[in-house]
Amino acid sequence: MSELIPPFDFQKVVIDTWTNGPFAIYGWGWRVLMGFLVITACGLVGNYLILRRMALIGDAISHSVLAGIAIAFLLTHSLGTLPMMLGALAAGLVTVGLIEFIHRKSRVKQDAAIGIAFTSLFALGVILIHTQMKGTHFDANCVLYGDLMAVGQSLVSVELSPLLAGKLKATGFTGETVLQGNELFIAPSQVLRMAVVAFVVIVLIRLFYKELLVSSFDSALAVSLGINATAIHLGIMSALSIVVVSSFDAVGAILVIAMLILPGATAHLLTQRLPVILWLTVAYALLSSVLGVHLARWIDCNIAAAMVVAGAALFVLAWIFSPIDGPIAKWRARNASVDQDLDGMGESAEPLVS
């Protein structure tokens, strides 16, 4: 057991994480921030998948975009962000269309259609990677499991004027790892990209909150109110594809499934109000990313996997203390019902006559 669980070094696991340049090059703070942004973006989109009972669609798209990435590389011979995102987006939409086609044009049930579509496209992606992408720096294992350790290896920098650089130094908020001479180091490119994706997801949810709410609960009502339910559905699938491919290099195609489902599933155990669920999703993202990084430092494991394990622990706690479905709430309700029945029996009993 001692070999499986190493001794807990509080100085290394907790203190050093936040004192030894957390936002410098190779800083742990960037990994926490990247995990937070990934889980936030995935969790917010995943909430609507859960409401629509389409959680398996997230699984399907997260696997099938591998084929889209491979085909995009074959067409452009580039591993740049834009071609990869466009390829993933196309693969996600093709997956949704293929699932609907198989389900509507045959007697195959939707869950079986999802299994057929995503396994076939995933297998196609694996074949293309192994046959057409040899010699590139495309890492299949990284795509499957992610590599948050690589976040923060290099920071995007901006050249400032001497006057502005001097003013920033005078504030005392910038250290040598942030401002070197006139060069301001902002953040890793992965973090900046994921921040943009998370921001866009939040803005879209805010702009189309009513349409997403109505179409998620009752598509017929949405149509009667003049809401294009099909367009909303395709928009969610497009956002899902972009979020998944943006998360590939950090958490991979396998662990991203947990980050799509666990935040919303945890929040749904605590409340039934959608605005509160969305805020709880963000809180879940913060807690699971911070706890996951500390867990990864403690047992020296994959950071994304540690974040999922930490998130799963939060899910268990939410289930235990859930005011709706938790065992504690059910035990209290059962005892209250028994007490009420006993009180009722006592009031209905006839008084004894001496």
Side-chain angles (χ1 to χ4, degrees), residues 159-182:
E159 189 73 23
L160 303 178
S161 65
L163 179 61
L164 183 56
K167 289 183 178 180
L168 285 176
K169 289 178 181 178
T171 62
F173 289 106
T174 56
E176 288 297 323
T177 58
V178 178
L179 184 62
Q180 297 180 4
N182 296 335

Side-chain angles (χ1 to χ4, degrees), residues 66 70 120-133:
L66 191 65
S120 300
L121 291 174
F122 182 71
L124 175 62
V126 171
I127 291 173
L128 291 175
I129 288 172
H130 281 275
T131 58
Q132 304 297 325
M133 299 182 69

Side-chain angles (χ1 to χ4, degrees), residues 273-351:
R273 297 183 62 238
L274 184 57
V276 181
I277 287 173
L278 296 178
W279 281 110
L280 286 175
T281 298
V282 178
Y284 172 98
L286 178 61
L287 286 173
S288 60
S289 58
V290 172
L291 294 174
V293 162
H294 289 307
L295 177 62
R297 293 214 70 188
W298 176 22
I299 62 178
D300 191 22
C301 67
N302 182 282
I303 303 175
M307 289 181 179
V308 172
V309 170
L314 293 175
F315 173 82
V316 172
L317 288 175
W319 170 69
I320 293 174
F321 295 102
S322 171
I324 305 169
D325 300 317
I328 295 178
K330 290 182 177 179
W331 176 76
R332 288 179 176 176
R334 188 164 52 247
N335 285 350
S337 177
V338 171
D339 293 340
Q340 188 176 11
D341 291 342
L342 291 176
D343 292 341
M345 292 174 62
E347 292 174 359
S348 61
E350 296 183 359

Side-chain angles (χ1 to χ4, degrees), residues 37-83:
L37 293 171
V38 168
I39 299 171
T40 297
C42 290
L44 290 175
V45 175
N47 276 312
Y48 292 98
L49 298 180
I50 294 173
L51 290 175
R52 292 163 174 260
R53 299 182 180 180
M54 297 172 61
L56 283 178
I57 292 289
D59 187 5
I61 291 180
S62 68
H63 284 76
S64 62
V65 294
L66 191 65
I69 290 175
I71 293 173
F73 173 80
L74 293 179
L75 295 176
T76 64
H77 300 285
S78 171
L79 291 174
T81 301
L82 182 60

Side-chain angles (χ1 to χ4, degrees), residues 197-260:
V197 172
F199 177 75
V200 171
V201 168
I202 293 171
V203 170
L204 290 176
I205 289 176
R206 180 66 184 87
L207 291 176
F208 297 99
Y209 178 80
K210 182 186 73 173
E211 290 82 357
L212 288 167
L213 178 64
V214 176
S215 62
S216 295
F217 283 100
D218 192 338
S219 58
L221 176 61
V223 173
S224 67
L225 294 175
I227 298 173
N228 191 332
T230 302
I232 295 296
H233 177 73
L234 291 177
I236 293 175
M237 295 302 105
S238 300
L240 175 61
S241 300
I242 293 173
V243 165
V244 166
V245 74
S246 301
S247 308
F248 260 7
D249 55 352
V251 302
I254 305 298
L255 297 175
V256 75
I257 303 167
M259 295 180 177
L260 284 168

